Amino acid sequence: MKLYLDQESSLNLIRYLRSVNGEDGIGGNICRKRLMNDAVVSTHGIEELEATAHFLLEHAGHPIHALAPERSMATHTKKLVTHVFSQDIPYGSFLDIGHGICICAPQYVFLRLGAERDFIDLIRIGMELCGTYSRWKLPSAMHAPNAAEEQGCTFDVPPVMQARHMRLFLDRMAGHRGAVGARKAAKHVLDGSASPMETAVYLMLCLPKHYGGYGLPKPLLNPKLTIQNPSGTETIERYPDLFWKGPDIDVEYNSDAKHSGEWSRYRDSRREVELTVADVRVLPLTRAQAMDADGFDEFANGLRRMLGIQKRPEDPRWRQRRDDLRRRLLFGLQ
């Protein structure tokens, strides 16, 4: 018997596993079954799972949300809520992580959340799953090697999904519930974001104006650039935060937490010099600028001019949309 977690509990467990496992990711094997005829659908069934399963389920949220193949098996208790899932299991949609637990694969989490989460929230989840951070804060004694913690996140973990593969998956699942919302949001999901704030800056700059963004072209996030060091004696690799290839502009976000102290300031300055010497125009963005609406306006307009994009007449409703978007993206990041 196996417990098939739904999208919300699966997302919670994916976040936890990314934080704990570090470079090993979430693990698991694709479920190759077509039917969910071995589903655990009762609290008694959960109690019979092995001890490791109980430990994992502590991190899946309360109550646990799982799937049942028939309406007659529906359960609603303080510990377990089941939702009817009577269709065949689409290939690649579930991962068996062992210990009697199957979770929705990241791309299937995104698809199913398309029927529940709004547009902005869904993009943020996609950016997280395609990025190198997980919105799960571990106790300091438990965090993964080489992972920093800030604002309820674990950083420097591998992505569990690629934006291109996710869009291909969503195209294949076009008729499923949630597909319309998921495909709409997926158009704006990029690979490589390293933090929630990088995600917020990208969305504020690049979402279309009717969503409150500035409508700038999409950048590459943390791409690998191979450049010569300033003296020209060796080849080095650098990863600009938001990089527009062609004009070769790098927006470097400097947060208070990750860029504090004399050594960090020296490292940032040296990095900026290295990129500038390599003909990359570096545009630093401070946290204070990002958090101030007028200051960010100035920054975005300066970037627009550097990108060679002509300013269009402003829709009088845009400022309200901008403020709404900023509240959505920046709330809880201060």
Side-chain angles (χ1 to χ4, degrees):
M1 301 294 287
K2 295 185 185 297
L3 181 68
Y4 293 84
L5 298 183
D6 84 339
Q7 58 276 11
E8 293 288 353
S9 290
S10 293
L11 179 59
N12 287 335
L13 203 47
I14 286 170
R15 285 171 163 165
Y16 171 72
L17 290 172
R18 291 183 76 194
S19 300
V20 172
N21 293 347
E23 290 298 323
D24 293 330
I26 59 177
N29 298 306
I30 293 175
C31 293
R32 298 183 178 275
K33 292 168 55 77
R34 291 186 59 82
L35 300 174
M36 200 176 289
N37 53 8
D38 59 346
V40 172
V41 294
S42 66
T43 54
H44 177 71
I46 291 178
E47 289 167 0
E48 292 186 337
L49 296 174
E50 58 184 89
T52 302
H54 287 275
F55 175 78
L56 290 172
L57 291 174
E58 285 295 316
H59 304 283
H62 300 282
I64 297 165
H65 286 263
L67 301 170
E70 298 178 14
R71 190 170 298 278
S72 61
M73 298 178 178
T75 303
H76 196 294
T77 67
K78 290 182 178 180
K79 186 173 183 178
L80 175 67
V81 176
T82 59
H83 308 271
V84 177
F85 186 94
S86 57
Q87 64 200 76
D88 287 356
I89 297 176
Y91 179 77
S93 298
F94 286 87
L95 297 176
D96 186 340
I97 62 171
H99 316 292
I101 298 176
C102 293
I103 62 173
C104 294
Q107 63 271 19
Y108 199 49
V109 167
F110 191 82
L111 168 65
R112 290 180 64 85
L113 288 177
E116 300 174 2
R117 302 293 188 99
D118 68 26
F119 178 70
I120 299 300
D121 200 23
L122 198 56
I123 297 174
R124 289 196 298 183
I125 291 171
M127 294 289 293
E128 176 188 350
L129 296 174
C130 292
T132 58
Y133 63 95
S134 177
R135 296 191 70 103
W136 188 285
K137 183 176 180 179
L138 293 170
S140 58
M142 293 177 59
H143 66 69
N146 303 318
E149 295 183 28
E150 172 191 326
Q151 303 161 351
C153 283
T154 300
F155 296 90
D156 301 323
V157 295
V160 292
M161 187 168 69
Q162 291 185 0
R164 182 175 65 87
H165 293 164
M166 176 185 67
R167 286 189 277 270
L168 290 173
F169 176 84
L170 294 175
D171 288 343
R172 181 163 64 87
M173 306 287 281
H176 286 246
R177 182 173 178 266
V180 173
R183 293 175 77 185
K184 179 181 176 183
K187 295 177 182 177
H188 303 280
V189 173
L190 299 183
D191 293 321
S193 179
S195 72
M197 197 62 179
E198 278 190 14
T199 292
V201 169
Y202 152 63
L203 292 177
M204 289 190 296
L205 289 173
C206 301
L207 279 181
K209 288 197 168 185
H210 57 268
Y211 293 120
Y214 291 85
L216 299 182
K218 295 175 184 176
L220 300 173
L221 301 180
N222 297 286
K224 182 173 75 172
L225 292 188
T226 302
I227 61 177
Q228 291 290 315
N229 68 347
S231 61
T233 58
E234 62 177 315
T235 299
I236 56 177
E237 293 176 355
R238 291 295 177 259
Y239 298 83
D241 290 349
L242 286 78
F243 182 68
W244 281 264
K245 189 175 181 180
D248 288 352
I249 298 171
D250 167 29
V251 167
E252 284 291 315
Y253 173 70
N254 299 324
S255 74
D256 297 335
K258 295 177 71 178
H259 294 263
S260 59
E262 196 65 33
W263 167 248
S264 292
R265 285 192 291 272
Y266 165 74
R267 183 182 57 199
D268 293 341
S269 176
R270 181 176 176 177
R271 185 170 180 238
E272 183 173 340
V273 168
E274 291 167 343
L275 289 167
T276 301
V277 170
D279 295 325
V280 174
R281 290 183 286 175
V282 179
L283 194 60
L285 173 65
T286 66
R287 189 176 188 83
Q289 282 177 295
M291 302 306 293
D292 176 69
D294 291 337
F296 195 76
D297 267 353
E298 289 295 318
F299 179 88
N301 284 323
L303 176 59
R304 173 186 56 76
R305 291 179 63 185
M306 292 175 69
L307 291 169
I309 298 172
Q310 187 175 2
K311 187 175 182 179
R312 296 179 180 177
E314 188 176 295
D315 183 336
R317 295 168 295 179
W318 175 79
R319 287 194 174 270
Q320 181 60 52
R321 293 169 181 160
R322 178 204 65 177
D323 293 343
D324 291 343
L325 179 64
R326 289 177 59 82
R327 278 193 291 270
R328 291 294 313 277
L329 293 173
L330 300 177
F331 178 76
L333 297 180
Q334 299 189 52

